[in-house]
């Protein structure tokens, strides 16, 4: 970083102290916006020329120099200066240094207030698209795996107690639904981000005969923002993105937690693969699920970023306030966190090994087909509450006799209710229980296969 003399010092006689400069600079982090800043500037000068506010020759000179600057930045030759405070003034002052008089016209009819918001929206739209691409890839892997595991029986829990058997495929599709809502929320957030603030200038618009539609469409925005005060001050798009991605991260934390639990040696439903685990420096036997734990842990910072953004905006009067500079680090961190976690999760998924025997054995623990037995009695014209009581007594019997519901001889079962016949075993085995749940959203293998295909088709159609 070098010192060059800053662009905003018109009325000032003294230079800012080093402390003040260090405190107020944002270039160390907002330089990330360089590409979008330059794109915004090029659209702006081309519009200025089209409207006769500057000459075509000036506009071309500015555009070519901005492209050179882009090149310098991307090849690492550009010298960022703290004294120039932020990405916008670094690029503008480099432009002036390069081409002199024409460069001084870039900022005509524009303010850093509409500029920064334009840059951030362009940046975020690109990142939302790349996050949605990652989500699609994760969802495709989940639905593919769900199809393969449509008949794999595992215990379903409520309160972390054995409840009713489900298939592993069904569980994977539940994850897919969570992530599918995240995808749709992000698409929705994209829609509101896709609006151009450019032309709002500092807060009140500008006296030049600008064409806001032209800059908006050159930059690929869907529409212009219709109120200049709102346009320069609004950070809803950042909050909304942080919110969508915090929910997504909470989903990943729930998934990660299940992976951690299932890989415990005492359950051993799955193996996470050595690439995604670490050992202990003291306990030679350990294989710890650190990657899943880190994903789980990072949901904390994602929630923190959302709260940070909300608090930055709380009670801010119109229009732009410098508080808004504080929006960048949480927003960037949110983007990085979500992307990294999705990338890691995506690469971890294919290596997860499933142990169907252990899952099936666990599904036999805790009388998980008791509800099916009650439903069976209801089928035989016993009111549900009576059926519930009868099955309660049968469950007590299995506990005292250390057996499973489906292992009780028919003769014994009939002592509890004469309505029980040999067809009961079609219901109270794990397979029987699963196959009866044969409706949309149910866990019957045939439904899970169908649901997996349908979900995969939907994902493929939107990524095409
Ligand atoms: N670096 C500033 C930000 O991030 C740019 C806008 C500054 N505007 C101003 N009037 N000081 O918000």
């Amino acid at each position: 970083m070098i010192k060059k003399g800053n662009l905003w010092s018109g009325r000032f006689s003294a230079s800012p102290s080093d402390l003040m400069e260090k405190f107020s600079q944002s270039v160390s982090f907002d330089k990330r916006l360089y590409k979008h800043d330059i794109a915004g500037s090029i659209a702006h000068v081309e519009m200025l020329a089209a409207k006769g506010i500057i000459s075509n020759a000036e506009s071309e000179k500015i555009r070519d120099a901005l492209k050179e600057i882009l090149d310098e930045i991307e090849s690492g030759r550009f010298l960022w200066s703290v004294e120039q405070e932020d990405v916008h003034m670094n690029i503008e002052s480099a432009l002036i240094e390069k081409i002199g008089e024409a460069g001084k016209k870039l900022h005509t009819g524009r303010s850093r207030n509409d500029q920064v918001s334009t840059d951030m929206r362009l940046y975020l739209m690109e990142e939302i698209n790349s996050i949605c691409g990652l989500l699609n890839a994760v969802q495709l892997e989940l639905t593919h795996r769900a199809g393969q595991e449509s008949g794999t029986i595992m215990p379903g829990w409520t309160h972390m107690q054995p409840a009713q058997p489900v298939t592993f495929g069904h569980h994977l599709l539940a994850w897919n639904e969570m992530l599918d809502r995240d995808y749709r929320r992000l698409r929705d957030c994209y829609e509101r981000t896709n609006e151009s603030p450019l032309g709002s200038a500092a807060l009140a618009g500008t006296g030049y005969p600008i064409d806001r539609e032209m800059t908006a469409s050159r930059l690929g925005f869907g529409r212009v923002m219709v109120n200049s005060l709102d346009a320069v001050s609004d950070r809803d798009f950042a909050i909304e993105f942080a919110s969508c991605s915090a929910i997504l991260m909470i989903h990943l934390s729930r998934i990660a937690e299940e992976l951690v639990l299932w890989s415990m040696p005492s359950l051993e439903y799955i193996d996470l693969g050595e690439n995604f685990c670490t050992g202990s420096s003291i306990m030679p036997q350990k294989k710890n699920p650190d990657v899943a734990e880190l994903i789980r842990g990072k949901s904390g910072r994602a929630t923190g970023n959302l709260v940070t953004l909300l608090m930055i905006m709380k009670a801010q009067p119109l229009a732009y306030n410098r508080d808004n500079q504080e929006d960048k680090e949480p927003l960037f961190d949110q983007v990085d966190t979500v992307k990294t976690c999705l990338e890691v999760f995506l690469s971890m998924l294919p290596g997860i090994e499933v142990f169907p025997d252990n899952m099936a054995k666990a599904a036999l623990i805790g009388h998980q087909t008791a509800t099916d037995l009650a439903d069976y009695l209801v089928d035989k014209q016993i009111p549900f509450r009576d059926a519930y009581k009868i099955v309660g007594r049968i469950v007590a019997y299995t506990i005292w006799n250390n057996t499973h519901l489906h292992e009780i001889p028919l003769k014994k079962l009939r002592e509890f209710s004469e309505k029980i016949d040999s067809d009961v075993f079609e219901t109270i085995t794990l397979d029987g229980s699963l196959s009866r749940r044969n409706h949309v959203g149910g866990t019957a293998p045939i439904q899970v296969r169908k649901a997996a295909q349908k979900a995969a088709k939907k994902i493929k159609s939107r990524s095409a």
Side-chain angles (χ1 to χ4, degrees):
M1 301 267 181
I2 51 154
K3 282 205 164 197
K4 285 187 189 166
N6 60 45
L7 289 176
W8 54 251
S9 59
R11 60 159 288 172
F12 289 81
S13 46
S15 304
S17 70
D18 287 350
L19 180 62
M20 149 71 182
E21 213 165 72
K22 197 168 139 205
F23 182 65
S24 72
Q25 70 83 28
S26 57
V27 62
S28 60
F29 47 88
D30 67 13
K31 62 181 174 203
R32 189 190 282 230
L33 298 171
Y34 73 88
K35 198 172 67 180
H36 304 103
D37 194 72
I38 289 175
S41 291
I42 292 176
H44 179 67
V45 285
E46 287 181 346
M47 180 278 292
L48 291 179
K51 299 299 290 178
I53 302 166
I54 63 173
S55 71
N56 282 331
E58 285 166 335
S59 155
E60 277 157 27
K61 213 167 170 191
I62 295 173
R63 187 199 55 209
D64 293 348
L66 284 171
K67 284 187 178 161
E68 272 176 36
I69 292 173
L70 179 67
D71 207 50
E72 285 165 25
I73 296 173
E74 295 195 324
S75 61
R77 282 177 289 133
F78 190 82
L79 291 175
W80 296 100
S81 135
V82 175
E83 200 182 353
Q84 292 305 334
E85 202 175 283
D86 56 24
V87 61
H88 324 293
M89 293 197 297
N90 265 272
I91 292 174
E92 191 186 341
S93 65
L95 176 77
I96 295 169
E97 213 163 278
K98 241 181 217 302
I99 60 172
E101 289 309 299
K104 294 184 192 163
K105 298 196 174 179
L106 166 65
H107 213 49
T108 313
R110 184 179 76 168
S111 153
R112 276 185 296 156
N113 299 351
D114 57 344
Q115 189 180 354
V116 68
S117 168
T118 304
D119 294 1
M120 285 177 68
R121 284 170 179 272
L122 290 172
Y123 159 81
L124 192 57
M125 281 155 63
E126 198 174 290
E127 295 294 4
I128 289 175
N129 283 341
S130 96
I131 291 168
C132 283
L134 283 168
L135 262 176
N136 269 337
V138 170
Q139 287 188 258
L140 267 185
E141 178 63 27
L142 286 177
T143 51
H144 171 68
R145 213 58 203 269
Q148 290 175 333
E149 306 288 354
S150 61
T152 310
I153 302 172
M154 72 183 302
W157 298 340
T158 61
H159 312 265
M160 283 182 76
Q161 300 290 322
Q164 291 173 347
V166 294
T167 60
F168 184 48
H170 197 52
H171 201 112
L172 293 172
L173 288 181
W175 291 353
N176 178 57
E177 285 305 302
M178 288 146 71
L179 298 181
D180 200 64
R181 286 191 295 276
D182 295 323
Y183 177 91
R184 285 180 283 140
R185 263 189 287 271
L186 282 165
R187 293 314 326 164
D188 213 43
C189 166
Y190 183 96
E191 276 315 299
R192 275 178 294 280
T193 308
N194 189 14
E195 300 183 339
S196 174
L198 199 57
S200 300
L203 75 164
T206 171
Y208 298 100
I210 58 169
D211 183 345
R212 295 192 58 206
E213 296 287 348
M214 183 177 165
T215 46
S217 84
R218 284 198 175 209
L219 291 170
F221 281 114
R223 63 204 83 87
V224 298
M225 295 186 77
V226 298
N227 182 295
S228 63
L229 288 171
D230 175 55
V232 293
S233 67
D234 171 48
R235 293 294 181 273
D236 290 2
F237 64 96
I239 295 174
E240 230 179 294
F241 168 76
S243 164
C244 298
S245 43
I247 299 173
L248 162 53
M249 285 300 300
I250 294 294
H251 286 155
L252 291 186
S253 83
R254 294 177 61 190
I255 294 170
E257 170 67 5
E258 294 191 316
L259 295 176
V260 170
L261 288 171
W262 294 345
S263 64
M264 282 163 64
S266 49
L267 292 186
E268 212 175 20
Y269 297 174
I270 58 163
D271 183 278
L272 285 174
E274 291 203 344
N275 296 347
F276 295 94
C277 293
T278 60
S280 152
S281 57
I282 174 172
M283 295 167 283
Q285 87 285 11
K286 292 279 274 176
K287 184 175 149 200
N288 295 328
D290 293 38
V291 171
E293 289 171 299
L294 277 168
I295 293 177
R296 190 176 63 188
K298 281 175 193 292
S299 63
R301 70 196 275 167
T303 310
N305 287 333
L306 167 62
V307 175
T308 303
L309 285 164
L310 283 166
M311 289 304 101
I312 289 167
M313 292 312 291
K314 179 182 176 296
Q316 257 199 59
L318 290 171
Y320 174 86
N321 301 283
R322 191 66 181 276
D323 313 41
N324 287 1
Q325 183 167 294
E326 287 291 303
D327 62 3
K328 283 164 205 68
E329 286 163 296
L331 182 69
F332 296 161
D333 187 64
Q334 195 78 336
V335 167
D336 294 343
T337 302
V338 176
K339 279 171 83 175
T340 315
C341 288
L342 283 172
E343 274 161 16
V344 169
F345 185 51
L346 181 61
S347 58
M348 184 164 71
L349 273 177
I352 295 177
E353 195 186 341
V354 179
F355 302 119
D357 292 349
N358 294 348
M359 286 187 175
K361 227 186 283 161
L364 287 173
I365 300 170
H367 326 287
Q368 298 181 40
T369 57
T371 319
D372 299 279
L373 183 51
D375 292 344
Y376 171 86
L377 293 174
V378 170
D379 272 352
K380 305 267 167 171
Q381 308 308 318
I382 297 179
F384 180 76
R385 274 294 150 230
D386 293 338
Y388 177 93
K389 275 191 198 143
I390 294 167
V391 177
R393 286 196 285 275
I394 299 175
V395 167
Y397 173 87
T398 59
I399 294 168
W400 295 124
N401 292 278
N402 195 23
T403 181
H404 295 296
L405 285 178
H406 64 277
E407 282 170 3
I408 306 174
L410 180 60
K411 206 165 143 245
K412 186 79 215 168
L413 283 173
R414 286 177 66 87
E415 286 175 23
F416 294 95
S417 168
E418 296 238 307
K419 297 274 173 96
I420 301 179
D421 276 317
S422 59
D423 60 350
V424 73
F425 298 106
E426 288 158 29
T427 309
I428 58 172
T429 55
L430 295 177
D431 284 325
S433 166
L434 288 174
S435 57
R436 276 164 59 92
R437 287 161 165 72
N438 188 9
H439 52 77
V440 172
T443 194
I446 187 173
Q447 284 293 337
V448 173
R449 260 194 309 278
K450 265 195 230 165
Q453 277 164 7
K454 206 170 158 194
K457 205 170 147 199
K458 177 174 149 190
I459 300 158
K460 280 181 197 150
S461 77
R462 72 190 176 203
S463 45

